[in-house]
Amino acid sequence: MVAKEVLEPRNYLAALRMVRRLERPADGLRRYFLGKGSYPYVCGVRTPSGMVAPTLYSHHDMWTVNEVFCREDYATDNAADVVVDVGSNIGISALFFLTRSPATRCWLYEPVPANVERLRANLAGYEDRYVLRDVAVAATAGRAEFGVEESGRYGGIGVRTGRSIEVECAGINDVLDDVLGSTGRVDVLKIDTEGTELEILRAIRPELLRRVRTVFLEVEERPISGVDQFDSRYHNQTWVLRNQALSG
């Protein structure tokens, strides 16, 4: 994976963007590349909506800031007014989406209590533009064992971390039914669940998936087969699917 990332041009562009977008770029680069610095750490980031300052709790969160705000793993071709963020962690991806446009509304799903608390703090001031459910999302509703670990970034259903909690799971079709019932469309569906992304995608009913414009999935390798009606590309362990019928 490291060898692939060294050869990926997007990483070098991200490093350049870090200089422009981080309030303290030298400190950010040191934390990102060398893992130096103490935490918690307030990280100032310039966005289209102005400066934001999420609190980070480890160098893993610094990686997330770079991936989301500088490498732009979740950049969209069009305005994303309706975002469903599955696996919201401490709110970094949600903060990215919310600062693209004042019209953006997010539906967030995160089951780990410590992450939920940190997410709420990082999204202070945006409460009127997001809905948060402290549940996991799976192919079907129910309860599941959810592996947790110190950074809060790598846990998930069925992930062996040495410690687990039991969480409530919302079924992905129930999630999309709920959002589409009030909005009529989903501009972005982002799924980062540490291993169950493809299972969740394949469980979506076709009539619901046709109403989603862009899907971002965090997967180790590009899947062999695509999805009908969606163009796809793959970079930095992010599989991007764009609905041909809605992307014009």
Side-chain angles (χ1 to χ4, degrees), residues 72-134:
E72 298 184 342
D73 284 0
Y74 303 138
T76 59
D77 295 335
N78 307 96
D81 292 345
V82 180
V83 175
V84 176
D85 187 336
V86 174
S88 298
N89 196 251
I90 66 168
I92 302 301
S93 55
L95 192 59
F96 173 82
F97 292 123
L98 288 166
T99 54
R100 301 306 95 182
S101 164
T104 299
R105 299 293 184 275
C106 290
W107 280 255
L108 312 177
Y109 299 83
E110 173 56 49
V112 179
N115 286 347
V116 168
E117 181 180 353
R118 293 169 177 180
L119 179 152
R120 290 187 186 279
N122 281 334
L123 299 185
Y126 293 93
E127 290 85 357
D128 61 336
R129 293 208 278 127
Y130 76 84
V131 175
L132 171 63
R133 289 194 62 193
D134 54 348

Side-chain angles (χ1 to χ4, degrees), residues 153-218:
R153 173 172 154 137
Y154 304 108
I157 295 172
V159 177
R160 295 184 179 181
T161 60
R163 185 167 70 93
S164 66
I165 59 175
E166 187 177 56
V167 300
E168 179 185 353
C169 299
I172 184 60
N173 288 306
D174 296 330
V175 167
L176 292 176
D177 270 329
D178 179 52
V179 176
L180 288 167
S182 61
T183 66
R185 77 181 195 279
V186 170
D187 296 312
V188 167
L189 169 60
K190 172 236 153 183
I191 307 175
D192 185 2
T193 54
E194 295 301 317
T196 60
E197 293 86 356
L198 294 177
E199 179 184 351
I200 292 171
L201 177 68
R202 291 165 181 152
I204 300 174
R205 300 198 309 268
E207 69 272 19
L208 297 179
L209 191 57
R210 284 194 291 268
R211 296 165 69 184
V212 178
R213 195 180 72 211
T214 304
V215 183
F216 296 100
L217 298 101
E218 296 301 319

